[in-house]
Amino acid sequence: MAMENYDVIVLGAGAAGMMCAIEAGRRGRRVVVLDHAQAIGEKIRISGGGRCNFTNLHCAPDRFISENPRFAVSALSRFTPEDFIARLDAHAIAFHEKTLGQLFCDGSAREVIAMLARDAAAAGVSVRLGTAVGEVAAGAGGYEVTTPVGVFSAPSLVVATGGKSIPKMGATGIGYAIAERFGLRVVAPRPGLVPLTFEGALKNMAAGLAGLSLDAVVTHGATRFREGLLFTHRGLSGPSILQISSFWREGEAIAIDLAPGHDVAATIGEARGAGAGRQKVVTALGALMPRRLAEQIAAEAGAALSNLADLTSRQIVGLGTATNHWRVTPSGSEGWRTAEVTVGGVATSELDQRTMAARARPHGPGFGLYFIGEVVDVTGWLGGYNFQWAWSSGWAAGQVV
Ligand code: FDA
């Protein structure tokens, strides 16, 4: 089989791999990027509803989930959201802040992909698409990667193959196998930023409200998010649920406030005491939340047709609990099919936080085994943090590979 020699092999032409390849190419390194997809940046293309939420202005370590959230600080502080914005500016790509510091392209995510392709070409990077990665081995000159079109060899190997989320988009989890092959510990990968599902009566209830969205506070332990919540045919979704899903584990409960800012029991109790006893319970609840939800909660409490005056004190407390402190245990999540990210991955303790090199492998300027982007156990919140981690970790490795 033909052997091609390079200075750097990058596995994966996603956000992290392309950023790393561009940086290494700019340093004069001979770089090849291998990817089994037919195009670079497939996840960039579908991200942010086609507009790519490419970073977040509030990028800070507390926006990342990891065994060691401090691990990400070095790369994030050396290649910042402002640095990525400068690249967009250089390519005259317009963008805007949508909400909560989230930056999106005005036009299309394809502009970001085109920018990466242009920068890679200018840096002399060779991108080989439609090239599945087979065996990866350590050889005399560094690393050898076997593919159907031949063997590639280089002293630096960068694994940027992403996580397991959305197999249909090309995710394979091969990066974890490569890490384990070289004796690196992997924090068990699980789906993150994913809708949660119910079974039985809860599922029927959610299905009855499917399509309804509202402002909510969702809590799991000490973690809470106040963002939109959406009822689906199988359970719950919306930004607040996606955010909490990255923290949630099977069998655990979450608490949901369906009427943030309103003490429902107190409001109803006061209304009844203030002479509104003939008001329908549904009407009183409907002033605090969407009508369909108010009807559902009143029905569950056996008060669908009741007036406020009919309610016992215990029922009022029950309505408050059902709305402000709704405790539910999801039966599962929608899984890899729809998860936006993979939580877990190559353990940060295995990697050098400045360069992303595997510490147990020989490494230094111009050689080593590197892991960048989503394959690493660094997972951002919803809102552009995952791309920023891909850019920053790719940039950091790109300075040394
Ligand atoms: P990425 O997954 O992008 O790239 C890995 C590459 O490796 C792929 O091109 C794949 O084909 C290739 N590969 C895998 N296995 C291979 C094999 N065996 N052989 C050869 N090649 C192989 N984040 C964010 O910050 N803002 C957002 O708006 C969104 N939106 C969003 C929407 C959707 C629907 C999803 C699924 C995800 C997001 N994300 C996001 C998350 C974000 O897309 C993700 O974190 C980054 O793309 C990760 O970049 P990487 O380069 O690490 O992996």
Side-chain angles (χ1 to χ4, degrees):
M1 231 184 203
M3 170 85 87
E4 293 188 43
N5 298 307
Y6 285 89
D7 295 328
V8 183
I9 302 169
V10 178
L11 306 182
M18 293 304 293
M19 176 59 83
C20 178
I22 291 164
E23 289 303 302
R26 287 178 176 176
R27 287 172 42 234
R29 305 285 283 159
R30 290 174 306 125
V31 184
V32 65
V33 183
L34 307 177
D35 199 304
H36 63 171
Q38 297 301 329
I40 70 166
E42 279 291 85
K43 279 201 182 160
I44 299 173
R45 182 174 60 79
I46 61 163
S47 67
R51 289 223 161 93
C52 186
N53 177 195
F54 54 83
T55 193
N56 194 297
L57 293 172
H58 309 310
C59 207
D62 68 352
R63 304 295 157 100
F64 293 87
I65 304 162
S66 170
E67 268 185 0
N68 174 16
R70 302 295 303 169
F71 174 85
V73 171
S74 172
L76 290 171
S77 61
R78 284 184 299 136
F79 189 82
T80 64
E82 288 69 29
D83 290 324
F84 191 74
I85 289 168
R87 302 223 170 174
L88 296 181
D89 288 343
H91 288 258
I93 299 174
F95 60 89
H96 60 279
E97 180 181 347
K98 197 166 167 191
T99 173
L100 303 170
Q102 302 169 3
L103 300 188
F104 287 75
C105 297
D106 286 357
S108 159
R110 289 176 194 276
E111 294 173 80
V112 175
I113 298 172
M115 173 184 89
L116 295 172
R118 276 200 299 272
D119 283 354
V125 173
S126 169
V127 180
R128 307 284 277 267
L129 299 171
T131 306
V133 173
E135 203 194 327
V136 176
Y143 294 89
E144 289 179 3
V145 178
T146 305
T147 76
V149 296
V151 179
F152 294 81
S153 162
S156 287
L157 176 65
V158 183
V159 181
T161 45
K164 286 179 132 178
S165 320
I166 318 205
K168 210 175 66 190
M169 296 302 299
T172 60
I174 190 176
Y176 311 124
I178 296 172
E180 283 168 350
R181 148 101 179 64
F182 288 103
L184 276 61
R185 185 169 63 89
V186 174
V187 178
R190 56 195 169 87
L193 300 180
V194 64
L196 298 175
T197 55
F198 293 146
E199 276 168 7
L202 273 175
K203 182 178 171 190
N204 293 339
M205 181 276 296
L209 295 169
L212 178 73
S213 66
L214 68 157
D215 179 33
V217 177
V218 184
T219 308
H220 172 270
T223 309
R224 68 204 304 263
F225 289 96
R226 180 172 182 169
E227 285 186 67
L229 177 145
L230 172 71
F231 286 91
T232 73
H233 285 283
R234 290 159 54 88
L236 299 174
S237 188
S240 60
I241 293 293
L242 298 182
Q243 297 279 34
I244 220 75
S245 74
S246 298
F247 296 84
W248 175 82
R249 306 287 180 107
E250 299 256 332
E252 293 177 344
I254 56 175
I256 304 177
D257 184 350
L258 295 163
H262 300 289
D263 183 334
V264 171
T267 307
I268 289 182
E270 280 162 20
R272 187 176 64 167
R278 293 176 66 185
Q279 189 181 44
K280 289 273 178 246
V281 172
V282 168
T283 308
L285 285 176
L288 307 173
M289 66 191 75
R291 176 83 188 185
R292 274 169 75 196
L293 181 61
E295 288 169 355
Q296 175 69 34
I297 289 173
E300 295 260 331
L305 302 174
S306 306
N307 295 332
L308 294 188
D310 303 330
L311 295 175
T312 63
S313 300
R314 178 182 282 233
Q315 275 180 305
I316 293 177
V317 171
L319 285 171
T321 304
T323 45
N324 293 130
H325 310 283
W326 184 35
R327 233 180 113 75
V328 275
T329 303
S331 56
S333 81
E334 294 284 2
W336 299 118
R337 192 177 54 83
T338 59
E340 275 194 23
V341 285
T342 302
V343 185
V346 179
T348 52
S349 59
E350 301 282 9
L351 306 177
D352 180 310
Q353 62 185 357
R354 197 170 164 80
T355 63
M356 307 295 138
R359 301 191 318 170
R361 302 286 308 161
H363 63 280
F367 65 100
L369 174 63
Y370 299 79
F371 291 83
I372 56 173
E374 196 175 317
V375 73
V376 179
D377 173 34
V378 173
T379 308
W381 287 7
L382 185 75
Y385 301 102
N386 285 298
F387 276 132
Q388 186 58 47
W389 168 245
W391 311 132
S392 296
S393 57
W395 182 92
Q399 309 310 308
V400 290
V401 288

